[in-house]
Amino acid sequence: MPRVACPTCGYQNPASYAACDLCRSPLRGQAAGAAAPPPAPRRDFYGEQSSNSRQSWILMAAFVVLVVFVAWATGEASGLGPVGLLFGLAFGTLGALLAYYAGDKMVLSASGAVEAAPDREPVLHNIVEELCLASGLPKPRLYVIESAAPNAFATGRDPARASVAVTRGLLQKLSREELQGVLAHEMSHVRNLDMRFATIVGILVGTVALLCDWGWRSWRFRGGRRSSGRGGAVLVLLALVLAIFAPLASRLIQMAISRRRELLADASAVELTRNPGGLAAALRRIAADPAGLEGANRATQHLFIVNPLKSYGIDSSALLSTHPPIEARIRILESMM
Amino acid sequence: MAAFVVLLVLLGGFALALVGIYNGLVTLRNQVKNAWQQIGVQLKRRHDLIPNLVEVVKDYMGYEQETLEKVIRARNQALSATGVQGTAAAEGALTGALRSLFAVVEAYPQLKANENVSKLQEELTSTENRIAFARQFYNDMVMRYNTRIQVFPSNLIASSFGFKDEAYFEIPAAEQEPVKVDLR
């Protein structure tokens, strides 16, 4: 498939796209013989924020449509009707509630984070207190992970119960200005309620998977009997296709939302610090660091400021990645300078 | 009868909107006041840190008494400043004086290595950032409040109840430039 690089962030888009899939800036020169495109407009964080949150909500709406559609098809295929929907919702919600109320503690202990005392880590506490003044947020609890890999994450279901964890490597390898950029990104996750957002999305993903699984089983249990006439057969076929593709589709939407929220947090961090250079320099340094993070796994990878497990190059489309390519993030930040 | 009811509903809705706009203005004005007080807290923190810094630094800086005296003088002026504009100007001058002091500290290796100095330097750097962020927050609040006072229809209520524009906390242009220190 022919691809075209975005002039702003460098992301490789399918040649047919008019606007960049990642940063939404127009792709120049896609039509042969078109007039010279206007220079890319200077971007500001207000515009970045509103476009990013709009994108998130569009994705959420697509998600809800998918869930409703799957639930309806499952009900039809299994012959149980709306009962299937209720069952799926109940299971999905139960698991999500547990994640919602105890998730932050589970994540912190899984990554080996230890609470940081103010007199032991004065710079960390100072920087976070500064950012609290800038954002009007209450001070989150601060944790340090004893690992040489520079990385950080935020968790907690609302700003009053938020926690921010940074690695020892981050504190040692980054300058004060770069550290401020990273912590501003984490505080932005807290302020944008990204943890809550991720939980809601998690509920929807789980529900889709459960419904599909359940619809599939009950159809097989009934021995693949046809319901009534040709209309019923078409419906069952449709439900089967859905049962196979809906879980995959829901994962793709979840990843797209995660990437969108990362960009939103980058833009919000610039709103707080008014200094895109600090975060850009920090991302560059984190990306160049060879040390690996021991406590990270597939369940926690999406939380970190830079994905600790895999990094995709800028020329891959990275559909299943939780983070946008780091070069693209740096280029977007630099376009705000 | 029907016309009377319609009139009553319209009047009620009008009164409710009036109350809502008025309360919104009062809330915003209080937020501006609170943001201003936040700046005051941070400025006091800086004023309190300066005597400690001067105490630690003065023994090392035999030839730099002038820079130190400038900081002390700027602090005293900042302490006695009043009003948004006066405070902004005096604090701007203090920021400038502190910056040149730290530029001088960079030139003294023993001073840079001193643990007390580096601790105080971190505290003052943090305080400078806090002041800058508190000012940013205050100015954002003032912008929201002033906009609300100026746009229709809240401008009608604002002018009849005496809501006035608040001043921005602006730094004098001279203080926005980076410091130049002559180290001979």
Side-chain angles (χ1 to χ4, degrees):
Chain A
M1 194 172 18
R3 292 187 167 270
V4 56
C6 169
T8 305
C9 67
Y11 191 71
Q12 295 281 333
N13 292 279
S16 56
Y17 283 20
C20 175
D21 198 29
L22 187 65
C23 70
R24 293 286 134 195
S25 44
L27 297 171
R28 55 181 77 195
Q30 355 100 27
R42 213 183 140 273
R43 302 162 72 83
D44 62 77
F45 49 79
Y46 293 117
E48 285 291 323
Q49 271 177 10
S50 59
S51 113
N52 272 320
S53 50
R54 200 167 50 238
Q55 292 289 320
S56 296
W57 284 112
I58 291 173
L59 285 166
M60 276 292 275
F63 221 134
V64 170
V65 169
L66 181 70
V67 169
V68 168
F69 194 57
V70 167
W72 168 78
T74 313
E76 289 295 315
S78 63
L80 271 179
V83 183
L85 173 67
L86 286 179
F87 247 63
L89 281 179
F91 274 112
T93 312
L94 220 66
L97 278 179
L98 184 72
Y100 187 65
Y101 284 106
D104 53 345
K105 284 177 208 74
M106 297 195 301
V107 167
L108 283 167
S109 71
S111 49
V114 179
E115 189 148 13
D119 52 328
R120 296 282 302 279
E121 309 291 347
V123 179
L124 175 64
H125 278 267
N126 273 340
I127 294 177
V128 169
E129 279 167 23
E130 291 160 22
L131 291 168
C132 289
L133 276 174
S135 59
L137 286 171
K139 191 181 171 189
R141 287 203 282 183
L142 299 174
Y143 293 80
V144 172
I145 302 166
E146 295 296 337
S147 163
N151 222 325
F153 70 84
T155 182
R157 63 183 180 276
D158 55 42
R161 272 173 282 245
S163 305
V164 171
V166 299
T167 61
R168 177 69 56 201
L170 192 85
L171 292 175
Q172 283 168 347
K173 289 170 186 168
L174 265 59
S175 74
R176 199 177 197 284
E177 195 188 346
E178 292 163 353
L179 213 50
Q180 189 188 51
V182 171
L183 288 166
H185 172 101
E186 299 308 334
M187 296 293 283
S188 301
H189 276 315
V190 172
R191 188 171 64 162
N192 298 340
L193 299 176
D194 282 346
M195 293 306 300
R196 187 179 300 177
F197 205 89
T199 311
I200 296 169
V201 173
I203 297 177
L204 295 173
V205 171
T207 310
V208 167
L210 260 163
L211 281 175
C212 289
D213 209 37
W214 193 74
W216 179 245
R217 273 161 207 266
S218 63
W219 182 76
R220 289 213 322 193
F221 177 71
R222 298 198 306 158
R225 262 182 292 122
R226 301 224 169 134
S227 12
S228 48
R230 277 187 59 196
V234 169
L235 234 145
V236 167
L237 198 70
L238 189 73
L240 279 181
V241 172
L242 260 179
I244 294 163
F245 288 107
L248 182 67
S250 65
R251 289 294 289 186
L252 290 182
I253 300 178
Q254 184 182 28
M255 294 300 151
I257 290 177
S258 172
R259 290 196 295 272
R260 187 75 35 214
R261 303 306 283 193
E262 287 301 321
L263 289 184
L264 178 60
D266 282 353
S268 310
V270 175
E271 186 200 344
L272 291 184
T273 63
R274 315 275 153 114
N275 176 15
L279 181 56
L283 287 178
R284 199 171 286 125
R285 203 182 287 265
I286 293 172
D289 198 273
L293 189 58
E294 304 85 12
N297 57 40
R298 289 187 64 81
T300 56
Q301 57 171 349
H302 63 282
L303 294 172
F304 290 88
I305 182 165
V306 170
N307 190 313
L309 296 186
K310 48 186 169 186
S311 64
Y312 285 94
I314 195 154
D315 41 351
S316 74
S317 62
L319 264 185
L320 276 167
S321 174
T322 54
H323 290 60
I326 201 158
E327 297 105 292
R329 290 171 70 186
I330 292 171
R331 286 176 76 151
I332 292 173
L333 284 168
E334 281 170 347
S335 75
M336 288 192 260
M337 280 185 196
Chain B
M1 185 61 202
F4 180 71
V5 170
V6 167
L7 195 72
L8 211 66
V9 166
L10 277 180
L11 269 177
F14 187 69
L16 271 180
L18 213 79
V19 169
I21 292 174
Y22 179 83
N23 287 351
L25 281 169
V26 172
T27 309
L28 264 179
R29 188 169 60 187
N30 285 340
Q31 279 171 343
V32 167
K33 268 190 200 148
N34 179 46
W36 174 250
Q37 253 146 25
Q38 277 302 314
I39 300 183
V41 170
Q42 299 311 323
L43 291 176
K44 180 169 184 312
R45 188 182 141 106
R46 176 159 77 168
H47 298 157
D48 294 346
L49 280 169
I50 287 172
N52 296 332
L53 178 74
V54 170
E55 200 56 41
V56 174
V57 166
K58 74 174 177 204
D59 298 335
Y60 294 90
M61 296 177 74
Y63 304 104
E64 304 287 353
Q65 292 301 333
E66 202 192 323
T67 316
L68 271 185
E69 272 160 27
K70 236 191 229 162
V71 170
I72 297 167
R73 226 172 329 154
R75 175 186 180 258
N76 290 339
Q77 266 166 13
L79 277 178
S80 56
T82 51
V84 173
Q85 253 111 33
T87 310
E91 292 296 340
L94 180 55
T95 302
L98 276 173
R99 271 199 219 155
S100 31
L101 176 64
F102 278 121
V104 170
V105 166
E106 292 296 312
Y108 286 77
Q110 325 106 281
L111 208 49
K112 261 180 79 180
N114 184 315
E115 200 188 321
N116 281 330
V117 174
S118 63
K119 245 186 219 164
L120 275 168
Q121 197 163 3
E122 161 61 25
E123 284 306 306
L124 270 167
T125 307
S126 179
T127 308
E128 295 294 334
N129 286 340
R130 284 168 208 238
I131 292 169
F133 284 143
R135 189 177 65 216
Q136 182 177 305
F137 192 67
Y138 170 79
N139 283 343
D140 286 353
M141 278 297 163
V142 168
M143 187 183 77
R144 254 204 262 169
Y145 174 68
N146 288 354
T147 308
R148 186 76 69 84
I149 285 180
Q150 288 158 15
V151 297
F152 184 81
S154 45
N155 61 342
L156 301 176
I157 293 158
S159 58
S160 43
F161 285 98
F163 288 90
K164 288 198 185 65
D165 278 9
E166 292 282 347
Y168 288 100
F169 192 114
E170 275 164 320
I171 347 167
E175 306 301 338
Q176 291 174 340
E177 289 163 21
V179 263
K180 293 187 201 80
V181 197
D182 186 12
L183 288 170
R184 285 173 294 270

